[in-house]
């Protein structure tokens, strides 16, 4: 097993890609702590435990610094370390430039950018003390290419890539790697509201002609979180069916 005895926090792990990551990490031997706002996280964790793997759920927002500090300290007290942080939680509030409100801008920046900053700032202190850490944060192919109607979202995903490169420089000497992962179009609750005709149009633009599953993306997180990637830091791994080549 590739994550034997590792303690992994997965934000936004209740559903979608984060759920896929939590299930795969637990199967690979990690104890997974799901941080999410949705109560579904309880069910996700209990399904993992019912298979004989280890997971727990904490209801928390990645934007709430005092709560993150308290929760990270609880995990450290209980398990003695936090090896892996997967900054996966993210939201969209799409609108074209002239129609986008400040509230829509702020909401997306708050979760997708500030949330990643806060979780990493808090958790990496424990990694620094331990001399080991793996941080992988959710970017998007949209952060590399832009996207119609996603000024706020694209900005945050480009920001995640830049933050990861910065942390590579600041945290590398403590044995911590920091990478971004840019999924392409993935079938989850986030994308299920897209109308079918638009969906077909998106698929035609993808060289592999199909959407990703959460598991397709989770395998990339697994690699970057594993010891096999111990000399990989500051990259953005794209898993997008070849769209951002
Ligand atoms: N689905 C895609 O096509 C796609 C493509 C590229 C990037 N991504 C990115 O991958 C990540 C996961 O996407 P998904 O499609 O699984 O989304 P999703 O909406 O299905 O799941 C996101 C999870 O994050 C949680 N979350 C949202 N705000 C939170 C907060 N403040 N605190 C804690 N948890 C919070 C949600 O409750 C949810 O469980 C996101 O960062 C997204 O931007 C997704």
């Amino acid at each position: 097993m590739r994550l034997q005895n590792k303690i992994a926090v997965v934000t936004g792990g209740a559903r979608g890609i984060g759920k896929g990551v939590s299930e795969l990490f637990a199967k690979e031997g990690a104890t997974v702590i799901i941080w999410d706002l949705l109560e579904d996280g309880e069910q996700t964790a209990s399904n993992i435990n019912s298979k004989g793997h280890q997971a727990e759920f904490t209801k928390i927002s990645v934007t709430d610094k005092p709560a993150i500090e308290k929760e990270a300290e609880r995990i450290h007290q209980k398990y003695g370390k936090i090896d892996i942080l997967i900054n996966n939680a993210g939201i969209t509030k799409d609108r074209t430039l002239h129609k986008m409100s400040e509230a829509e801008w702020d909401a997306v920046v708050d979760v997708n950018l500030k949330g990643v900053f806060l979780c990493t700032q808090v958790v990496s202190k424990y990694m620094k003390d331990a001399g080991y850490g793996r941080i992988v944060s959710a970017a998007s192919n949209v952060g590399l290419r832009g996207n119609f109607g996603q000024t706020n979202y694209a900005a945050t995903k480009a920001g995640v890539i830049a933050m990861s490169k910065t942390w590579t420089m600041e945290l590398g000497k403590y044995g911590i790697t920091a990478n971004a992962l840019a999924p392409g179009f993935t079938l989850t609750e986030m994308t299920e509201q897209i109308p079918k005709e638009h969906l077909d149009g998106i698929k035609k633009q993808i060289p592999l002609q199909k959407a990703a599953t959460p598991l397709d993306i989770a395998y990339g997180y697994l690699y970057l979180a594993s010891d096999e990637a111990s000399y990989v830091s500051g990259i953005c791994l794209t898993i997008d069916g070849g769209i951002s080549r």
Side-chain angles (χ1 to χ4, degrees), residues 12 15 17 36 38 61-62 88 139 153 157 183-184 186 188 190-191:
R15 70 178 198 189
I17 294 171
D36 205 298
L38 285 179
S61 174
V62 294
N88 163 78
Y153 185 79
K157 295 306 186 179
T186 311
T188 66
M190 182 184 264
T191 49

Side-chain angles (χ1 to χ4, degrees), residues 10-153:
V10 180
T11 74
R15 70 178 198 189
I17 294 171
K19 181 179 173 190
V21 172
S22 300
E23 289 169 350
L24 182 63
F25 279 25
K27 200 173 146 204
E28 290 293 337
T31 296
V32 176
I33 299 99
I34 295 169
W35 288 358
D36 205 298
L37 280 173
L38 285 179
E39 297 289 353
D40 305 38
E42 195 64 64
Q43 191 58 49
T44 304
S46 99
N47 287 348
I48 290 171
N49 289 321
S50 71
K51 290 181 182 138
H53 309 307
Q54 305 300 317
E56 53 177 270
F57 165 63
T58 301
K59 187 172 178 180
I60 192 170
S61 174
V62 294
T63 61
D64 184 346
K65 188 171 181 186
I68 297 164
E69 285 176 328
K70 200 168 152 213
E71 168 66 3
E73 181 57 25
R74 181 193 71 80
I75 296 169
H76 186 253
Q77 290 288 329
K78 183 169 177 183
Y79 297 107
K81 58 179 185 164
I82 307 176
D83 300 296
I84 298 164
L85 171 64
I86 305 298
N87 284 309
N88 163 78
I91 61 168
T92 53
K93 289 199 182 292
D94 298 352
R95 199 86 62 187
T96 50
L97 174 62
H98 292 133
K99 290 182 181 158
M100 187 173 286
S101 67
E102 279 189 53
E104 286 162 341
W105 168 270
D106 288 344
V108 171
V109 169
D110 212 32
V111 177
N112 296 12
L113 198 59
K114 192 175 172 190
V116 173
F117 159 67
L118 291 176
C119 289
T120 305
Q121 190 184 49
V122 171
V123 171
S124 65
K125 283 186 193 148
Y126 294 94
M127 294 175 167
K128 196 174 152 186
D129 290 345
Y132 181 93
R134 295 274 182 277
I135 300 161
V136 194
S137 306
S140 165
N141 71 328
V142 166
L144 299 164
R145 307 183 311 131
N147 199 23
F148 193 94
Q150 290 197 310
T151 295
N152 49 4
Y153 185 79

Side-chain angles (χ1 to χ4, degrees), residues 174-185:
Y174 305 109
I176 301 170
T177 65
N179 292 292
L181 190 150
F185 186 72

